[in-house]
Amino acid sequence: MNLKSERRGIHVDQSELLCKKGCGYYGNPAWQGFCSKCWREEYHKARQKQIQEDWELAERLQREEEEAYASSQSTQGAQSLTFSKFEEKKTNEKTRKVTTVKKFFTASSRTGAKKEIQEAKAPSPSINRQASIETDRVSKEFIEFLKPYHKPGQDIYKQCKLFLDTMNHKRDLSIEEQSECAQDFYQNVAEKLQTRWKVPPEKVEKAMDQIEKYIMTRQYKYVFCPETTDDEKKDLAVQKRIRALHWVTPQMLCVPVNEEIPEVSDMVVKAITDIIEMDSKRVPRDKLACITKCSKHIFNAIKITKNEPASADDFLPTLIYIVLKGNPPRLQSNIQYITRFCNPSRLMTGEDGYYFTNLCCAVAFIEKLDAQSLNLSQEDFDRFMTGQTSPKKQESDGFSPDVCLGVKQMYKNLDLLSQLNERQERIVNEAKKLEKDLIDWTDGITKEVQDIVEKYPLEIKPKNQALAAIDSENVENDKLPPPLQPQVYAG
């Protein structure tokens, strides 16, 4: 394996993560490098331009049809037509023109196929019951959350119900248009909370999180990986790509993580678990939370390995390695779902937005990974991809052909002995440290007890003499008067 002695590593400048329009927010590859705000502006411009072009095309086609109709009527003897037939054909022609124009602005014919597929793929009753239980729980939590808001809370709940009703009537719209409706709703509610209802900024963020949870729990089954998109196709392509790259080692990516350290190995397992768990969540904010937890475990693993805080140049290669090792299910669908329906303020700023942007960069890197990215020759890269050989096998056969098997085994044994010696020294040092800690703890407890005894000495007082009973025989009874004797009354 031809590896360069000095590796370049994977470096991404922090400015590359920001919106390419220069607004200062985090960009996203799904938005062509723009942030949520700038992407919506560009999307509206492109949409208006497309609508204008469609109208111009429709008008041009209509003029051509009218000219063709007029010329055909003149050649066939339009004078023989009666007035009634002429009016009938004119009406039919107008109807056809209107239908032609409407085709430019109606949803795709795949809508009917989508409904048939959804009916054919109806979930089982147990899944429906589980979703219904979760929906009811979220609804109760949302109502309880809005109670302290009083009148604004009632208005928020009404607007959320109205939005859900509107979305139910817009199932035929494309997923991009439904995303646009959701983003507009988030923006309008946030503005009303701040301007009309004068809610403090910290409470606005909490309210928007609860609104997103309430809405997306109900909309999840309709907008996550819909059949009208190619999200599922992208998921399969990414999974196949990651499986083909199973041979990639941490050294090739310059990952500063030593999995032989038990604490680091635990952090890696936790990071993989978090990134896989993302698919089980229904709310975009919960999916982002899984990405954030995964990223924090990665930073901790790097910190333990290097004994110093991790940098951004260390984080991205490690995140790529975690994604390759975990191969999360429906990765592209989850990324697209977060991009389309998450509260945009979370993706534009904060640690959630930073980690999500890095995950998008990691997926883009995996899709475009080549020999140069791993500092390999094209020949070695092709052999690894086809499964002809593997890096571990090639490294183990790195001896000269003249070296006998006994010498190879000897070097392997020496390497193992060296590793065992290092582990033994580390265990001995930890044991000595533990012994010292126990001695210090014992001495400290003893000193504290002595200080308390000296400060509060124990005094044993003599036992108090018990009180004598009246009828008991003792000296003090002599001082008592004689008992009364019964007397007989003579009458």
Side-chain angles (χ1 to χ4, degrees):
M1 181 169 55
N2 299 327
L3 293 176
K4 298 180 181 179
S5 58
E6 295 183 0
R7 295 184 178 275
R8 297 173 301 169
I10 301 172
H11 173 73
V12 175
D13 192 357
Q14 293 302 298
S15 61
E16 297 178 10
L17 301 178
L18 300 178
C19 176
K20 65 181 183 180
K21 203 171 182 180
C23 63
Y25 296 119
Y26 288 120
N28 191 325
W31 294 326
Q32 301 178 6
F34 293 104
C35 68
S36 173
K37 181 180 178 181
C38 297
W39 166 249
R40 293 182 66 192
E41 295 176 355
E42 296 295 325
Y43 176 79
H44 279 301
K45 291 180 182 178
R47 189 176 179 184
Q48 293 297 329
K49 183 179 179 181
Q50 184 65 36
I51 292 174
Q52 183 65 28
E53 292 177 354
D54 290 343
W55 273 111
E56 292 176 356
L57 177 61
E59 291 176 355
R60 182 169 59 83
L61 292 176
Q62 186 175 356
R63 287 195 302 270
E64 291 177 357
E65 289 179 0
E66 289 177 351
E67 293 174 358
Y69 176 76
S71 61
S72 63
Q73 292 299 319
S74 60
T75 56
Q76 294 177 4
Q79 295 178 356
S80 62
L81 293 174
T82 62
F83 181 76
S84 59
K85 291 184 178 180
F86 175 78
E87 287 294 328
E88 181 181 356
K89 285 194 173 185
K90 192 67 176 178
T91 303
N92 293 336
E93 187 69 11
K94 286 183 179 180
T95 304
R96 189 169 63 86
K97 291 171 187 175
V98 171
T99 305
T100 304
V101 174
K102 285 184 178 179
K103 285 182 180 179
F104 288 98
F105 307 100
T106 55
S108 172
S109 60
R110 297 176 63 184
T111 302
K114 173 186 174 184
K115 292 182 179 179
E116 294 176 0
I117 294 174
Q118 287 180 345
E119 293 176 358
K121 294 184 177 181
S124 63
S126 60
I127 297 177
N128 283 332
R129 284 195 298 269
Q130 183 179 0
S132 177
I133 292 172
E134 183 177 358
T135 302
D136 293 341
R137 178 182 59 81
V138 172
S139 299
K140 292 179 181 178
E141 292 177 355
F142 185 58
I143 293 173
E144 290 296 326
F145 174 80
L146 292 178
K147 283 184 178 179
Y149 288 81
H150 304 295
K151 184 62 170 63
Q154 296 177 5
D155 293 340
I156 292 173
Y157 185 75
K158 290 179 181 178
Q159 290 202 10
C160 291
K161 295 290 289 183
L162 180 61
F163 172 76
L164 290 173
D165 292 339
T166 304
M167 292 296 290
N168 289 333
H169 291 88
K170 292 185 177 181
R171 295 277 179 249
D172 296 340
L173 295 180
S174 66
I175 194 65
E176 287 77 14
E177 291 173 324
Q178 295 184 50
S179 170
E180 189 72 14
C181 293
Q183 299 296 329
D184 290 338
F185 176 74
Y186 289 149
Q187 184 177 359
N188 294 334
V189 173
E191 290 178 355
K192 288 181 179 179
L193 286 171
Q194 293 176 350
T195 57
R196 181 185 299 180
W197 298 316
K198 307 298 180 183
V199 178
E202 61 275 7
K203 288 189 176 182
V204 170
E205 184 176 356
K206 293 181 180 179
M208 294 305 301
D209 291 341
Q210 292 295 325
I211 291 171
E212 176 190 307
K213 183 178 180 180
Y214 174 72
I215 289 175
M216 298 316 302
T217 301
R218 293 172 174 271
Q219 293 293 310
Y220 177 80
K221 61 181 179 181
Y222 303 112
V223 298
F224 181 83
C225 192
E227 285 83 358
T228 55
T229 64
D230 58 350
D231 292 348
E232 185 176 0
K233 183 179 179 181
K234 292 179 179 179
D235 290 334
L236 297 175
V238 171
Q239 283 193 338
K240 183 178 179 181
R241 176 68 171 173
I242 292 176
R243 283 196 295 268
L245 294 170
H246 66 90
W247 49 267
V248 176
T249 62
Q251 292 75 22
M252 294 179 182
L253 297 170
C254 300
V255 176
V257 168
N258 184 8
E259 293 188 67
E260 294 181 359
I261 302 175
E263 295 86 351
V264 175
S265 179
D266 292 342
M267 291 296 173
V268 171
V269 172
K270 290 179 181 179
I272 294 174
T273 303
D274 290 331
I275 198 69
I276 292 176
E277 188 182 0
M278 173 180 62
D279 186 58
S280 64
K281 305 298 182 182
R282 298 165 65 91
V283 183
R285 180 172 60 91
D286 295 341
K287 293 181 181 291
L288 276 179
C290 292
I291 299 174
T292 301
K293 288 193 295 183
C294 169
S295 302
K296 289 184 177 180
H297 287 315
I298 291 174
F299 273 105
N300 290 333
I302 298 173
K303 183 178 180 180
I304 295 173
T305 302
K306 299 180 66 176
N307 291 324
E308 62 181 17
S311 63
D313 291 338
D314 297 331
F315 170 67
L316 184 57
T318 311
L319 179 60
I320 294 172
Y321 173 69
I322 293 297
V323 173
L324 288 174
K325 195 169 182 178
N327 197 359
R330 301 193 292 186
L331 184 56
Q332 281 288 0
S333 292
N334 282 286
I335 290 177
Q336 292 296 331
Y337 177 67
I338 295 172
T339 302
R340 292 165 181 158
F341 296 101
C342 184
N343 186 359
S345 61
R346 282 193 171 273
L347 300 183
M348 294 164 60
T349 58
E351 62 178 5
D352 289 342
Y354 174 76
Y355 295 140
F356 179 71
T357 303
N358 276 274
L359 178 62
C360 295
C361 293
V363 175
F365 177 85
I366 291 172
E367 292 175 340
K368 299 178 181 179
L369 189 143
D370 55 9
Q372 186 179 6
S373 304
L374 300 175
N375 299 312
L376 297 175
S377 65
Q378 189 62 42
E379 180 182 358
D380 288 337
F381 182 82
D382 293 339
R383 284 194 295 146
F384 294 154
M385 290 295 291
T386 55
Q388 296 178 6
T389 184
S390 64
K392 295 181 180 179
K393 181 178 178 181
Q394 203 171 45
E395 289 175 359
S396 63
D397 296 339
F399 296 95
S400 173
D402 300 331
V403 177
C404 63
L405 295 176
V407 174
K408 293 181 181 179
Q409 188 64 39
M410 181 185 68
Y411 277 106
K412 291 181 180 179
N413 293 338
L414 288 174
D415 186 30
L416 290 175
L417 287 173
S418 176
Q419 295 179 11
L420 289 174
N421 187 31
E422 292 178 0
R423 291 179 61 183
Q424 184 180 6
E425 290 180 356
R426 186 164 63 249
I427 292 174
V428 171
N429 292 333
E430 293 293 333
K432 290 180 178 179
K433 181 181 177 182
L434 178 61
E435 182 182 8
K436 183 178 179 301
D437 292 341
L438 288 174
I439 293 173
D440 294 341
W441 179 78
T442 305
D443 294 341
I445 294 296
T446 304
K447 187 176 181 304
E448 289 181 3
V449 171
Q450 290 176 353
D451 293 342
I452 293 174
V453 171
E454 292 175 359
K455 187 175 181 181
Y456 305 101
L458 181 62
E459 296 180 2
I460 302 177
K461 297 181 179 181
K463 187 177 180 181
N464 294 331
Q465 190 173 1
L467 297 175
I470 296 177
D471 296 334
S472 63
E473 296 179 357
N474 51 45
V475 182
E476 295 182 356
N477 286 347
D478 297 339
K479 301 177 182 180
L480 295 174
L484 297 175
Q485 297 294 331
Q487 296 179 5
V488 179
Y489 180 66

